[in-house]
Amino acid sequence: MMTIRDRISEKFKELFSCSGTVYMSAGRINLIGEHTDYNGGFVFPGAIDKGIWVEMKPNGGKNVRVYSLDFGEYSEFGMNEEDAPFRSWARYVFGVCREIIKRGYAFGGFDAVFAGDVPLGAGLSSSAALESAFGFGINDMYSLGISMFDLALTGQATEHNYCGVNCGIMDQFASIFGKAGNLMRLDCMTLEYEYYPFKPRGYRLVLLDSAVKHELVGSPYNKRRESCERVAARLGRKFLRGASMDELDAVKADISEEDYRRARYVIGEEKRVLTVCDALNRGDYETVGRMMYETHRGMRDDYEVSCEELDYLNDMAAECGVTGSRIMGGGFGGCTINLVKDNVYPVFTDKAVASFEARYGHAPKVYDVVISDGARRVE
Ligand code: ADP
Ligand code: MG
């Protein structure tokens, strides 16, 4: 079977009659640390062995000519603000170009062919992989000297300004800074980060995609944020980050029962991230798994962002003896992330897929992931 890299090179030659340089950037998982970003807390992502590959070459003109192999679509556009392309995938490429230009860098038109294997819209951040692959490629191809952190910010700004997605920095950060065998603890308050070893010998990471997305009325996400802000204000803090359970209990009588539970989840999640860091330094994956289950319970009972399908997958995991399992992402649908012993893996995936399908009428998708390198030039 041809690799993605081979397929984009073949197409590049066919379209542009020459060869360019190949870059890739990765999708990502988040092991733990959910709904912590807007509370000034930690997230704990890693890049995965699924990404976007792009072959690029300057074309001597002013336009970008780009072909999406997965969609079989071509787009050509200039790089001025009024040149925004119509196709939504092309807007990611256009946005990256614009954001780099806005930061004062100059570069010429180029040709590109890209494709990938990050499932779209599954919570593995195919869009960040796309932005990061192009951003990294443009930076390298034209020797612009943009720092890796600024490249991540460029991808984030692309989502905000050209794709209508008001995301944090985690996805682009992980896609670019990812390192095989390492997860990254990113402090969303200071943007400092630290690598932690993740080499779970005898275990695998697998995601089960419920393929459901519950749109809940009344913008539940904003309501959670408002609860956190109210409690933080009551504690005289800017963020819940750093608050203790004792502090929270001291104001329990002054806040609503619901706000109390929201804050209890966030404070607990900060602790769990730190517990996971210590555990990883010891190679103690059983503790990591326990924290994942605790996070799931917190998201289900205190933060109330789970849903029936995700709870079912989590129960299934517990029943099969999976080491760790939880909702990944904001909740209300999407995937569970599971830390599974090798010998439990086949039983768990077979059973979860079959019984989920029997119950909900569609089979969850299974994504095996290995923590891998982020953005790079592919030699
Ligand atoms: P995700 O959670 O995977 O990031 P998004 O909705 O944020 O989901 O981004 C998905 C969008 O990114 C797609 O609709 C498409 O425009 C673009 N995209 C991602 N991967 C590809 C790909 N392989 N080829 C073309 N476009 C892609
Ligand atoms: Mg995305």
Side-chain angles (χ1 to χ4, degrees):
M1 215 175 76
M2 277 175 91
T3 62
I4 295 172
R5 196 234 148 108
D6 291 342
R7 290 195 293 115
I8 60 170
S9 290
E10 184 181 81
K11 192 73 190 176
F12 195 96
K13 228 177 228 131
E14 178 193 322
L15 289 176
F16 306 116
S17 314
C18 59
S19 305
T21 310
V22 178
Y23 301 93
M24 83 80 68
S25 198
R28 64 103 191 88
I29 54 94
N30 186 36
L31 188 72
I32 197 159
E34 220 65 78
H35 288 280
T36 46
D37 54 348
Y38 53 84
N39 285 300
F42 300 112
V43 290
F44 213 86
I48 57 172
D49 58 335
K50 302 188 186 342
I52 297 275
W53 280 256
V54 57
E55 182 161 340
M56 329 171 74
K57 191 183 168 104
N59 60 22
K62 284 192 155 59
N63 283 2
V64 175
R65 305 191 297 181
V66 53
Y67 187 80
S68 159
L69 196 54
D70 295 326
F71 288 0
E73 291 174 350
Y74 174 83
S75 180
E76 175 166 355
F77 49 83
M79 286 187 274
N80 297 310
E81 197 60 35
E82 64 272 17
D83 298 328
F86 148 79
R87 295 188 194 287
S88 58
W89 60 263
R91 293 182 73 88
Y92 288 94
V93 181
F94 175 75
V96 169
C97 296
R98 284 298 305 153
E99 289 298 334
I100 292 176
I101 291 166
K102 283 190 212 166
R103 283 164 177 75
Y105 299 95
F107 57 95
F110 59 89
D111 297 334
V113 174
F114 75 99
D117 58 359
V118 187
L120 275 62
L124 296 176
S125 222
S126 65
S127 62
L130 176 52
E131 293 142 15
S132 305
F134 274 88
F136 190 94
I138 293 167
N139 189 37
D140 184 79
M141 193 165 61
Y142 292 99
S143 306
L144 299 179
I146 305 171
S147 77
M148 290 302 118
F149 217 99
D150 283 342
L151 274 185
L153 291 171
T154 296
Q156 184 195 22
T158 297
E159 301 252 359
H160 292 181
N161 299 328
Y162 298 94
C163 309
V165 181
N166 196 14
C167 60
I169 190 66
M170 170 173 78
D171 299 353
Q172 291 78 14
F173 167 82
S175 181
I176 289 179
F177 284 84
K179 214 155 73 166
N182 287 268
L183 296 175
M184 297 157 283
R185 189 185 74 190
L186 174 66
D187 183 326
C188 296
M189 191 154 65
T190 63
L191 296 184
E192 283 164 359
Y193 63 94
E194 210 174 313
Y195 287 97
Y196 285 86
F198 188 78
K199 298 181 178 92
R201 260 180 281 283
Y203 299 85
R204 300 207 219 169
L205 274 180
V206 60
L207 285 93
L208 292 185
D209 187 353
S210 69
V212 299
K213 191 85 211 138
H214 294 285
E215 301 296 343
L216 296 183
V217 281
S219 184
Y221 177 82
N222 288 336
K223 280 193 162 161
R224 302 299 182 284
R225 284 189 80 137
E226 284 158 21
S227 287
C228 294
E229 284 162 15
R230 267 196 302 275
V231 178
R234 183 64 192 76
L235 295 174
R237 293 173 168 275
K238 181 156 184 254
F239 293 118
L240 281 178
R241 159 75 181 278
S244 67
M245 272 311 293
D246 286 346
E247 264 177 276
L248 179 64
D249 282 332
V251 301
K252 190 170 180 181
D254 311 336
I255 60 179
S256 72
E257 188 268 343
E258 186 178 276
D259 282 1
Y260 176 81
R261 281 187 292 115
R262 303 297 190 244
R264 179 165 68 187
Y265 164 76
V266 172
I267 292 170
E269 187 71 350
E270 181 177 337
K271 256 216 188 115
R272 285 187 286 275
V273 171
L274 297 175
T275 302
V276 163
C277 290
D278 288 343
L280 287 178
N281 280 333
R282 294 193 307 270
D284 171 6
Y285 291 91
E286 294 298 312
T287 297
V288 172
R290 246 188 352 265
M291 291 301 113
M292 292 168 75
Y293 278 112
E294 276 190 26
T295 292
H296 188 92
R297 280 194 289 274
M299 288 176 85
R300 183 188 65 199
D301 303 334
D302 278 351
Y303 223 61
E304 295 181 282
V305 292
S306 189
C307 62
E308 194 195 316
E309 293 90 341
L310 291 172
D311 290 340
Y312 187 75
L313 289 174
N314 187 260
D315 289 344
M316 228 44 213
E319 224 171 87
C320 294
V322 168
T323 306
S325 178
R326 68 172 197 87
I327 303 166
M328 194 178 80
F332 306 120
C335 294
T336 60
I337 179 168
N338 304 276
L339 178 66
V340 193
K341 282 216 169 91
D342 287 341
N343 63 329
V344 175
Y345 177 93
V347 184
F348 168 55
T349 49
D350 286 356
K351 186 164 176 205
V353 167
S355 54
F356 187 98
E357 184 173 17
R359 194 179 174 105
Y360 296 107
H362 67 274
K365 294 199 190 72
V366 178
Y367 306 127
D368 293 303
V369 297
V370 176
I371 301 304
S372 303
D373 287 328
R376 62 189 182 272
R377 181 160 72 195
V378 182
E379 301 303 341

